[in-house]
Amino acid sequence: MNATPTTSLPRVEEDDDLPVSARIRSRLTAAKQRYHANDNIAAFVMDGEVDALRNEVEAKMAEVLESLVIDTEGDHNTQETARRVARMFLTEVFKGRYQPMPAVTEFPNIEQLNELLIVGPITVRSACSHHLCPILGKVWIGIMPNEHSNLIGLSKYARICDWVMSRPQIQEEAVVQLANILQDKVKPDGLAIVIEADHFCMHWRGVKDDDSRMTNSVMRGSFLKDPDLRREFLSLLSKKND
Ligand SMILES: [Zn+2]
């Protein structure tokens, strides 16, 4: 689902001759909205524009292959590559930039649960903003609810995580983005997130370091104040990791 034109979008004179990316960019700049690689811009993308972006990226990707001196007409392996890569970027691996957040239903904490809840491991599939190389890993989420917290279905954690990760990312920023969303939706007493991921730009290029796992964590609220709770979370997590 894409955002349809609404009154919340700033009125900008739009030139239909401009590429669709330029039209979307002019809306973003008019609204003074950041559009870094790991930002979601769905509110500025109108119906049908993801398809138009895909066509635009396909044409530019064909030029990249041309500049790499690859004979995309003669080489049957790369004839469709520009189209495949454009589709993969817009509708698969970077879809978290162009699609709105998955719908999440929150339930009041009627049972007044106040026990540590751990969700994970959830599979992380992303790409680094620096090289657009894959990042593959796992994330664990710890929630310490209170009577005012909202509860969300277990599968929603995975869907929100996938939405945040399906963008060119920086692992340290991804973990904070995920924490901010969960803090807002669940409103827990404490929130802990650990991401452990493998960065393929380290294997494939550069130092070719085979030990390229990176771990990041965010601890908030009671996880920050209570070392016992933090220890409990981390010990359960290491057991689950075995
Ligand atoms: Zn990289």
Side-chain angles (χ1 to χ4, degrees):
M1 187 190 86
N2 296 319
T4 40
T6 63
T7 46
S8 67
L9 276 182
R11 283 184 176 281
V12 227
E13 283 299 310
E14 292 199 355
D15 183 348
D16 285 343
D17 294 336
L18 283 178
V20 63
S21 65
R23 275 183 269 147
I24 296 170
R25 200 160 42 241
S26 71
R27 290 172 212 147
L28 287 158
T29 47
K32 298 187 169 44
Q33 189 73 36
R34 205 180 82 156
Y35 53 102
H36 289 188
N38 59 2
D39 287 329
N40 178 273
I41 59 166
F44 297 84
V45 179
M46 294 184 192
D47 277 337
E49 286 186 338
V50 170
D51 288 338
L53 280 174
R54 209 179 61 206
N55 291 335
E56 186 183 325
V57 171
E58 180 184 338
K60 297 245 165 96
M61 200 61 218
E63 288 182 29
V64 170
L65 294 169
E66 191 182 308
S67 295
L68 289 168
V69 201
I70 293 172
D71 175 9
T72 55
E73 278 176 29
D75 175 9
H76 55 278
N77 293 317
T78 53
Q79 260 162 18
E80 295 292 320
T81 296
R83 185 196 305 276
R84 286 188 207 102
V85 171
R87 185 186 301 135
M88 178 179 78
F89 282 172
L90 270 305
T91 65
E92 294 173 318
V93 297
F94 302 151
K95 64 178 188 290
R97 299 195 76 234
Y98 309 100
Q99 295 179 359
M101 182 156 85
V104 176
T105 315
E106 299 125 57
F107 308 96
N109 186 4
I110 295 165
E111 308 283 328
Q112 309 220 332
L113 301 174
N114 62 351
E115 303 271 330
L116 171 61
L117 165 75
I118 298 184
V119 189
I122 297 169
T123 302
V124 163
R125 297 189 301 171
S126 194
C128 75
S129 298
H130 298 145
H131 308 93
L132 305 185
C133 280
I135 298 172
L136 296 177
K138 297 195 180 315
V139 56
W140 291 263
I141 299 165
I143 301 270
M144 193 65 205
N146 65 27
E147 68 270 30
H148 306 296
S149 296
N150 298 314
L151 304 176
I152 63 176
L154 284 183
S155 66
K156 301 300 182 187
Y157 289 94
R159 294 201 57 199
I160 292 173
C161 181
D162 186 53
W163 182 67
V164 168
M165 295 302 165
S166 298
R167 310 168 191 176
Q169 270 295 4
I170 296 295
Q171 190 169 319
E172 303 90 307
E173 295 180 11
V175 71
V176 174
Q177 287 183 334
L178 185 57
N180 290 345
I181 294 168
L182 293 177
Q183 189 72 46
D184 181 54
K185 291 276 164 204
V186 183
K187 299 183 174 52
D189 243 21
L191 173 66
I193 304 181
V194 173
I195 296 187
E196 185 186 88
D198 208 359
H199 289 243
F200 281 65
C201 55
M202 300 284 280
H203 294 297
W204 194 22
R205 51 160 297 286
V207 291
K208 297 197 169 67
D209 188 348
D210 279 328
D211 187 23
S212 56
R213 296 214 138 220
M214 188 165 128
T215 306
N216 285 92
S217 63
V218 166
M219 302 280 162
R220 289 185 182 172
S222 47
F223 285 94
L224 214 53
K225 290 181 216 127
D226 181 352
D228 288 337
L229 179 63
R230 197 159 60 232
R231 254 194 303 276
E232 188 187 350
F233 171 67
L234 293 172
S235 71
L236 286 169
L237 183 150
S238 65
K239 268 185 226 142
K240 286 180 171 226
N241 205 8
D242 287 342

